[in-house]
Amino acid sequence: MKNRGFCRFHKNLYFGESVKKHTYAKWQLFHGKGGLGTFCIMRAMSSCDQLDIVNSMLLKQPYYKSNPAYVYGIAGSYKEALDLIVKITEDAVSAGYEGRLVDYLGSVSE
């Protein structure tokens, strides 16, 4: 059986300024070893929201082993994750996707 990991990553992953080792941060999250101070921006679980900011400790749950989360960004703090959401929003608005962040992120990955 192929090891699918605890999460999948967006093709153009957003990183916060405090995340220095991008490959190592991705490896930790994929294997369920994320740290307490790491936050992930991921696709929302509910249909009325677009993106969620969650602590990487949440991805250690057994649920995510069989249902990997889709991560759009990795940040070193909650405030930094909010800044990344603002950057994603600015990028989406400049590309003509006002208020449709998931649609913008989907178009970028193609």
Side-chain angles (χ1 to χ4, degrees):
M1 181 173 157
K2 184 178 179 184
N3 183 4
R4 291 180 17 187
F6 287 85
C7 57
R8 295 182 337 212
F9 299 101
H10 186 253
K11 180 181 174 185
N12 298 325
L13 194 62
Y14 286 83
F15 288 99
E17 293 178 9
S18 67
V19 180
K20 300 297 181 200
K21 299 178 181 178
H22 297 175
T23 306
Y24 182 65
K26 284 175 62 175
W27 182 89
Q28 283 186 317
L29 293 173
F30 184 80
H31 293 286
K33 301 184 185 315
L36 187 60
T38 304
F39 288 83
C40 298
I41 299 168
M42 53 189 262
R43 186 178 292 159
M45 294 279 202
S46 66
S47 61
C48 62
D49 292 331
Q50 295 186 55
L51 300 175
D52 284 336
I53 299 173
V54 297
N55 193 301
S56 64
M57 300 295 279
L58 179 74
L59 299 179
K60 291 184 177 187
Q61 300 293 323
Y63 169 80
Y64 290 105
K65 187 66 175 169
S66 59
N67 303 300
Y70 196 79
V71 177
Y72 294 110
I74 303 171
S77 68
Y78 188 80
K79 182 188 178 314
E80 197 171 79
L82 290 174
D83 293 340
L84 283 179
I85 294 284
V86 170
K87 180 169 177 22
I88 293 170
T89 304
E90 290 170 349
D91 292 348
V93 168
S94 67
Y97 288 90
E98 292 85 5
R100 298 176 296 157
L101 303 180
V102 175
D103 292 340
Y104 164 71
L105 291 166
S107 71
V108 171
S109 66
E110 294 175 349

